[in-house]
Amino acid sequence: MTTPSITVTYLFDPLCGWCYAAAPALNYLQGVEGIEVALAPTGLFAGAGARPMDAQFAAYAWANDQRIQQLTGQPFTQVYRDHILGAANGRFDSGPATLALTAVSQTAPERELDALHALQHARYVEGRDNADPAVIADVLCSLGLQAAAAVLQNPMMPCARPCWSAWRPPAPPCSCWVPKACRNWRLRG
């Protein structure tokens, strides 16, 4: 491939429905020769931006999701509505998904857009809580991104790359598998 002449920096939050609506456009841009799509997850709904998923917010989100679906065709399923928006004690927190995408960018940058789409599909179509690190790790492992899943489980690891040489395929399904070389890692200081 030739050197990209245009870089499109995509600022987004992994839990933003409108950002999910942009998935077809991102796929298109990624396939255009001379264009590079650089992902920049912002964590808008992380930390102080995170909130409980109460009935009022769930109704607000579902109304927006229905509008997004009508305008773009991106699906928001009933299982998403029931399991994510309707979950008792649920959280609207993009911190774990933002961290996961950052881990993918460090361990397998060519797969970052795949990971974003898989996390969005897990949430909006399959009704899986991608604010839950265990769900995120499972999604990453299903894509063959075990090194990123390891970083997600232990974000204090200096980098997952040294651990990659110790990686052996786990028995499916992968549930937060951490390479043996990383299990005893401790922060020094």
Side-chain angles (χ1 to χ4, degrees):
M1 182 174 189
T2 61
T3 303
S5 58
I6 298 174
T7 299
V8 175
T9 302
Y10 178 55
L11 300 164
F12 67 96
D13 186 277
L15 298 191
C16 171
W18 287 106
C19 298
Y20 167 59
L26 291 172
N27 283 339
Y28 172 79
L29 287 173
Q30 186 179 32
V32 175
E33 188 172 340
I35 295 180
E36 175 188 8
V37 177
L39 299 185
T42 63
L44 176 65
F45 304 116
R51 57 172 295 134
M53 182 62 74
D54 58 29
Q56 182 179 3
F57 185 73
Y60 171 78
W62 183 248
N64 280 311
D65 296 339
Q66 293 306 287
R67 182 164 185 249
I68 294 165
Q69 181 172 311
Q70 182 182 26
L71 293 172
T72 69
Q74 285 290 84
F76 293 84
T77 66
Q78 187 64 41
V79 71
Y80 153 72
R81 185 180 190 187
D82 295 342
H83 293 162
I84 302 301
L85 299 180
N89 301 316
R91 294 262 319 144
F92 188 71
D93 183 357
S94 64
T98 300
L99 177 61
L101 291 168
T102 302
V104 173
S105 76
Q106 293 175 6
T107 59
E110 72 285 355
R111 301 290 311 281
E112 193 176 8
L113 191 57
D114 296 336
L116 171 62
H117 292 327
L119 289 170
Q120 291 170 329
H121 187 270
R123 180 179 186 84
Y124 297 117
V125 177
E126 298 172 7
R128 297 175 69 196
D129 186 4
N130 67 0
D132 179 345
V135 169
I136 294 169
D138 186 59
V139 170
L140 294 177
C141 287
S142 75
L143 296 173
L145 298 170
Q146 285 81 0
V151 172
L152 178 65
Q153 187 173 15
N154 188 356
M156 298 306 292
M157 262 184 345
C159 180
R161 288 181 195 270
C163 302
W164 188 248
S165 63
W167 179 76
R168 300 293 178 266
C174 174
S175 58
C176 302
W177 180 83
V178 176
K180 184 177 181 180
C182 298
R183 289 184 191 140
N184 295 323
W185 185 84
R186 300 285 183 264
L187 183 63
R188 296 181 189 153

